[in-house]
Amino acid sequence: MRALLALAVIGALGIGMAGILPAFAQEDGEADQSNTTTGMSPATEADDDEENDEGDEDEDEDEDEDEEDQSSNPLTGLEAYYQKLDSEPAYASSLEAAVAKLVQNRDIAIPYDYIATLMRIPNAFGEGAACVVCHSSSDPEHSYRGLDLTTCEGIKTGSTEPPARPLFEPGNAAESLLQRRLRDNRMPYGVAFDAPTDTSHIRAIETWIDDGANNDEFFQQEVLPLFEDPRAFGGLLACTECHLSNQEPPSFHELDLTSYEGIMLGADSVAKAEEGLPPVPIVVPGDAAASRLYQRLTENRMPAGIEPSENRDHPNIQIMMQWIDQGASCD
């Protein structure tokens, strides 16, 4: 009986080990077990591995080609739209963006009829009176600056009162007097539109520039101190409160009015340098009328009395400038 029991135990152990050992054998000699299981010789398996490697390389090349195709083909539809929203959140909602998408980007021809309408309605370029209220005749006795904005010819002629000058050159809106007067706020920020412009202080600026804008005794004693005087030009803020260095922040437009060097360097020096461009000059030696410094002290933004916080890139300003760039056709 004991002999039979011993044989049974040995038989059970043999079955258990037979079930366990193959697993250990496969882990310790995986290549050999695989060959046995698949019936493949080592040489055949090596050939198959090479084919698999070549297949992987082909897949990698296909993926690279797909990536190249995606990079060379611009995104379209919703994918492009959402990518634009991620980079420019206002792209979806602003009136300026709508005008750019619908009119500017397609260079839609602007008819004079639309320009004529803008001249005749209030709030066309921001809250204010219609342009023709003040500019309706070429006779200076009946219209400010002898400027007639009721006709296409009058708009293109410009002011007739000395110094007579056009508002723009067709095809060049960016350098136009009209764009300047619709966008640029008079300085100091918030100065009343009827603050006098023919004052001794402003004349000192004009004289200094017309005489060559030199770093001389006149500049140091008569001109430079004006930028630190909050009541020098009709406002309540000194120029140097906002323009005190060539870095922004803290200085708006990276403009420094605390020194001769800062003034002559001009505005946006850092930003322009990143674009490979020189700073924006605010002084043209010998020509005060062409100097932004003098212009911003004397020219009111239109319409008269408009709040300085009003949108400088109003959609109608964009459309007006597009009309000019297209040649200012009267058709």
Side-chain angles (χ1 to χ4, degrees), residues 12-311:
L13 288 172
I15 294 171
M17 292 302 290
I20 296 172
L21 287 174
F24 282 103
Q26 185 171 359
E27 184 176 342
D28 292 338
E30 189 171 354
D32 292 340
Q33 180 66 27
S34 299
N35 294 343
T36 304
T37 305
T38 60
M40 296 172 61
S41 67
T44 305
E45 187 182 27
D47 292 340
D48 188 59
D49 288 342
E50 289 178 4
E51 291 177 2
N52 289 337
D53 290 342
E54 291 176 359
D56 292 340
E57 290 176 1
D58 291 341
E59 289 179 5
D60 292 340
E61 290 177 1
D62 291 340
E63 290 177 1
D64 291 340
E65 290 177 0
D66 290 341
E67 290 177 1
E68 289 177 2
D69 290 342
Q70 291 177 2
S71 62
S72 60
N73 295 330
L75 297 176
T76 57
L78 278 177
E79 191 173 12
Y81 175 76
Y82 282 113
Q83 188 178 79
K84 188 72 172 177
L85 286 186
D86 288 340
S87 60
E88 299 179 34
Y91 181 77
S93 59
S94 72
L95 295 174
E96 296 84 351
V99 169
K101 295 178 198 177
L102 299 175
V103 181
Q104 291 179 308
N105 291 349
R106 295 186 59 185
D107 197 27
I108 298 296
I110 309 300
Y112 170 68
D113 282 351
Y114 188 77
I115 303 303
T117 300
L118 293 180
M119 299 294 102
R120 288 169 168 78
I121 60 174
N123 308 321
F125 304 107
E127 188 174 353
C131 300
V132 296
V133 171
C134 296
H135 305 290
S136 58
S137 168
S138 59
D139 183 354
E141 293 294 324
H142 300 94
S143 177
Y144 281 97
R145 297 287 292 119
L147 176 59
D148 182 9
L149 299 181
T150 65
T151 68
C152 186
E153 292 76 12
I155 294 172
K156 295 175 75 170
T157 298
S159 59
T160 59
E161 182 180 77
R165 55 184 176 177
L167 296 176
F168 56 82
E169 177 185 344
N172 187 15
E175 302 298 325
S176 67
L177 172 63
L178 182 59
Q179 176 173 276
R180 206 164 75 214
R181 297 305 290 271
L182 288 174
R183 295 187 77 254
D184 290 355
N185 290 306
R186 181 175 164 191
M187 294 285 105
Y189 191 76
V191 64
F193 79 94
D194 58 346
T197 58
D198 188 26
T199 66
S200 60
H201 291 162
I202 292 178
R203 285 198 301 272
I205 302 290
E206 181 182 25
T207 298
W208 170 67
I209 297 175
D210 282 340
D211 287 347
N214 299 304
N215 188 11
D216 53 16
E217 184 178 352
F218 181 77
F219 170 78
Q220 293 293 334
Q221 295 186 2
E222 303 295 332
V223 174
L224 189 59
L226 296 177
F227 301 124
E228 298 179 356
D229 182 352
R231 293 180 177 269
F233 304 111
L236 299 175
L237 290 174
C239 302
T240 53
E241 289 190 42
C242 296
H243 305 293
L244 65 162
S245 82
N246 292 125
Q247 297 288 329
E248 182 178 358
S251 188
F252 286 96
H253 284 290
E254 301 163 6
L255 178 59
D256 180 12
L257 297 181
T258 67
S259 69
Y260 179 80
E261 291 75 18
I263 293 169
M264 299 308 293
L265 177 63
D268 300 318
S269 57
V270 177
K272 292 298 182 182
E274 292 177 354
E275 302 175 20
L277 299 172
V280 178
I282 65 168
V283 171
V284 180
D287 192 349
S291 299
R292 292 173 185 257
L293 175 60
Y294 180 74
Q295 291 167 359
R296 297 300 285 274
L297 291 173
T298 58
E299 294 180 353
N300 287 307
R301 179 179 169 189
M302 294 285 103
I306 190 171
E307 290 293 325
S309 58
E310 281 276 5
N311 185 5

